[in-house]
Amino acid sequence: MSKKVVNRGKNRQSSSTSRNLTIPVLAIAGWLTTILPNTAIAVNNDYSVCAGRLLSVGVTAEAASEGCAAALRPRDLAACVVKIDKETQIAATDALSSCGKARRPEELATCVVGVSLSTKEEANPAVLDYCGRSLLPVRFGQCVVGLRSQIDFPATQALDTCISADDSVIGASSSSTPPTIIPAGSNPSFESTPVPTQPLVPTQPGTN
């Protein structure tokens, strides 16, 4: 048998082996393609982060799952609960409900922490309730802290005073009618025909 014949046989064998190896490699590549997106979703998942952070501060698995699932921004919800738990005497389990109801959970947490420090933890449950009731929690918190820095009165009085003012400001802003703005360069037309002061009576034809 000549060398050329032997070489042809070896080439056929190597190409056959190459084809046999290509099929499993392609299958593995396709399998990786299907699982990699799922892995990315599992790693970078707001709900997973939310649940993990809530569990770390003592929230039960059931409460954490319900709270994170219902949250529009799960990371913000968790940040709100964790901040209140770490920086005040309010328990995470108590903060979860208020943080879940807040339109801006991080602003709620800022309010609760600031007011709690100002009141020296005198009214923790009340602080959480008042900040949760306010539609402008940061402004409400500034009101309580600012008044108590200059006026010596009980924390509950400051809370009541600022929540009343908060409601008044929101009511005034929602009921006020914005001014009419006429764009520059426009020439609005107004009715210029005078309105008759008396009704016109048709003239009767004369009789002969």
Side-chain angles (χ1 to χ4, degrees), residues 67 70-72 77 80-81 94-105 108 128-129 131-135:
L72 183 61
L77 169 70
C80 175
V81 174
D94 295 330
L96 179 59
S97 176
S98 295
C99 288
K101 295 175 183 177
R103 293 185 304 168
R104 298 180 179 87
L108 172 70
L128 186 62
D129 177 64
C131 288
R133 284 167 53 190
S134 175
L135 295 179

Side-chain angles (χ1 to χ4, degrees), residues 137-206:
V138 173
R139 178 191 178 280
F140 171 76
Q142 291 173 343
C143 175
V144 174
V145 173
L147 292 183
R148 281 181 56 83
S149 68
Q150 300 297 325
I151 304 172
D152 184 17
F153 55 11
T156 53
Q157 185 176 346
L159 293 171
D160 288 333
T161 301
C162 289
I163 200 66
S164 298
D166 193 56
D167 294 338
S168 299
V169 169
I170 294 171
S173 62
S174 62
S175 62
S176 60
T177 303
T180 302
I181 301 175
I182 300 174
S186 63
N187 185 20
S189 60
F190 297 93
E191 183 63 38
S192 58
T193 305
V195 179
T197 56
Q198 294 180 352
L200 297 177
V201 179
T203 305
Q204 297 295 330

Side-chain angles (χ1 to χ4, degrees), residues 32 39 41 70 109 122 196:
L32 289 174
T39 303
I41 290 174
E122 294 174 17

